[in-house]
Amino acid sequence: MFDVIDVVGLGDGGLEELPARSRTLIRSARVLVGGRRHLDLVPNVPGQQRHTWPSPLVKGLPVLLAELGLTATYPVPPASGRTPAGESRGGVVALASGDPLRSGIGSTLVRMLGADHVRIHPWLSSDTLARARMGWSAEECEVLTVVGRSVEQLRAHLDPGARLVVLCSDGLTPARVAALLVGEGCGESALTAWWHLGGVAEGSRRAPAYRWGENPTPDLVVVCVEVEAVQARRRAALGTAPGLPEAAYDSDGQLTKRDARASALAHLRPHRGGVLWDLGAGTGTVGLEWARAAAGATTLAVERRPDRAGRIRSNASRLGVPDRVEVLEADVLEAVSVDRPGPDAVFIGGGLTLELLAAAWVRLVPGGRLVAHAVTLEGEQVLVAAWRQHGGDLTRLAVEHAEPLGRLTGWRPARPIVQWSACKEAP
């Protein structure tokens, strides 16, 4: 049985480029675990057990860890971080790429075993090496991963002059990135692909997106993107501020209009990693803008009509958040009753009833925020009752837009919206 697993980052240059401590950990390990490529970079050690990661990883990893005697029930290592006598030798060592906590196995092991049972020994990550080759500082770049994810998420990051470092699934990914840029009207953006960084097979290719073509690069590739500023401005980069124009969405007209949407999101206050339930989502505008507004923010959009649910999924791809918006085709009241962790925020845009509002309030986590809109007298009565019971803010939003009136111009009022917003205090 082992108290701790050491996770050692490895580069394409293999064992000899690592610091002495990392080399010692690998050579002295009783059990070495890693992908086939990583294991092949390390010379065989007599008597050392070697295991490759199971496939599928999520299902098979707990079984492998249990076989190796690793669980989250061991004593906490000393606070000094020093290795107790006897633990640095003959232990379990896992191999990872570069920084094990950069979209790597290190993050998975910490989640499963707890940080006290995983020691991370990072090496240079591929994005660090790519930035070094490009001469880009960390402060001026954004690192994105499309490993196991859709390249469509890049749409949310195509700001004028943006510098993106994209971690790729394989050698086909650079061409997909280039095609997306061309499709978004940013074809003159510069792409530089780097593969096998730090190894003897390191190579690169640079071209504007419109000239990239479909030929794959070698695998183990990172793409650096310089978004062409003039084209991105002409594209009217949407940014992350709430209140996108209605034209940004494919809609059947069932959507929260821009001014009311901006107000709703201002009260919901999107935050990093926050979870929103968008109930009666319609086009999904509030939930989509929640996901765009903060890093790691996610949305569960509940919409019972299949056509509208499909439209939400399409809009999520168009706006660069396909992996952060889950669409559930269900009745809103049934969805609220499903056994899942409660949300940080709730928006009710359709199907408002006293029963739904009460059920959503129960599921909301302490400190969470709820915003609901009503356009009918019956819905308004529901919100007035909620305001009297829970407090918060009750607001009537009336917006008028200038439109032609004969040969002149006049104001055309939109349908007023009653908005209730409240924060659920801790019990």
Side-chain angles (χ1 to χ4, degrees):
M1 303 287 278
F2 302 101
D3 288 353
V4 174
I5 182 171
D6 287 284
V7 186
V8 179
L10 198 63
D12 216 57
L15 183 68
E16 296 308 316
E17 70 177 357
L18 299 182
R21 175 177 171 79
S22 294
R23 296 199 304 269
T24 299
L25 280 168
I26 293 173
R27 287 171 174 151
S28 63
R30 183 182 303 173
V31 179
L32 195 63
V33 189
R36 176 52 54 194
R37 181 178 70 87
H38 292 135
L39 292 172
D40 288 343
L41 289 171
V42 176
N44 286 315
V45 175
Q48 187 179 73
Q49 299 178 37
R50 293 194 170 199
H51 298 270
T52 56
W53 297 119
S55 181
L57 181 66
V58 174
K59 183 178 180 179
L61 187 55
V63 177
L64 174 61
L65 294 176
E67 291 175 353
L68 298 178
L70 285 161
T71 70
T73 60
Y74 296 106
V76 178
S80 66
R82 296 179 61 84
T83 304
E87 282 193 9
S88 66
R89 300 189 59 84
V92 179
V93 173
L95 301 178
S97 294
D99 181 353
L101 296 177
R102 170 70 82 180
S103 299
I105 190 65
S107 303
T108 302
L109 292 171
V110 168
R111 284 195 301 270
M112 296 186 69
L113 300 173
D116 292 328
H117 301 279
V118 182
R119 279 192 295 250
I120 304 295
H121 308 270
W123 185 235
L124 296 175
S125 62
S126 57
D127 56 282
T128 296
L129 289 169
R131 287 192 298 98
R133 302 295 188 269
M134 299 295 296
W136 292 355
S137 70
E139 294 79 9
E140 64 183 340
C141 301
E142 187 168 6
V143 180
L144 306 171
T145 177
V146 295
V147 178
R149 305 176 189 178
S150 172
V151 298
E152 291 168 341
Q153 65 176 290
L154 269 64
R155 290 193 174 104
H157 303 274
L158 301 183
D159 298 315
R163 289 181 167 180
L164 310 176
V165 180
V166 184
L167 311 181
C168 301
S169 292
D170 52 36
L172 298 172
T173 305
R176 296 191 182 108
V177 172
L180 181 141
L181 288 163
V182 172
E184 288 294 305
C186 297
E188 294 183 13
S189 299
L191 269 65
T192 307
W194 297 94
W195 52 84
H196 291 283
L197 281 160
V200 295
E202 180 177 316
S204 66
R205 178 189 171 196
R206 181 178 175 88
Y210 76 92
R211 291 179 51 193
W212 192 269
E214 298 181 356
N215 292 334
T217 67
D219 291 339
L220 302 177
V221 61
V222 176
V223 174
C224 297
V225 180
E226 298 172 88
V227 181
E228 207 283 321
V230 173
Q231 286 189 325
R233 292 191 188 98
R234 192 181 302 129
R235 171 183 176 265
L238 298 176
T240 58
L244 297 182
E246 275 76 55
Y249 297 96
D250 175 25
S251 170
D252 61 359
Q254 189 67 22
L255 81 167
T256 303
K257 297 299 192 291
R258 170 188 245 178
D259 300 285
R261 190 185 331 131
S263 177
L265 285 154
H267 285 84
L268 289 167
R269 299 184 188 176
H271 60 273
R272 177 182 292 270
V275 177
L276 169 75
W277 288 2
D278 185 357
L279 305 179
T283 303
T285 55
V286 171
L288 292 167
E289 294 191 25
W290 168 280
R292 288 170 53 85
T298 60
T299 293
L300 173 67
V302 182
E303 173 54 53
R304 64 181 179 83
R305 283 183 44 171
D307 58 329
R308 288 177 176 167
R311 197 172 284 116
I312 296 171
R313 296 186 183 98
S314 175
N315 283 322
S317 295
R318 286 161 54 113
L319 294 174
V321 286
D323 301 315
R324 291 199 274 136
V325 176
E326 177 188 355
V327 182
L328 179 62
E329 296 180 29
D331 175 80
V332 286
L333 192 56
E334 293 177 0
V336 170
S337 303
V338 172
D339 184 18
R340 66 170 74 210
D344 300 291
V346 173
F347 176 72
I348 303 177
L352 177 65
T353 63
L354 277 171
E355 188 179 10
L356 174 61
L357 197 149
W361 185 261
V362 169
R363 297 302 310 278
L364 188 65
V365 301
R369 297 179 177 277
L370 190 150
V371 174
H373 286 180
V375 294
T376 66
L377 290 174
E378 292 78 7
E380 182 175 331
Q381 291 170 357
V382 171
L383 298 187
V384 170
W387 173 60
R388 286 175 174 162
Q389 180 179 1
H390 300 292
D393 295 310
L394 192 64
T395 307
R396 193 165 187 258
L397 304 174
V399 178
E400 299 182 7
H401 297 279
E403 293 186 359
L405 185 63
R407 291 179 298 171
L408 304 175
T409 305
W411 292 106
R412 182 181 181 87
R415 189 186 298 274
I417 291 175
V418 175
Q419 178 188 83
W420 176 60
S421 65
C423 177
K424 181 178 178 180
E425 301 297 335

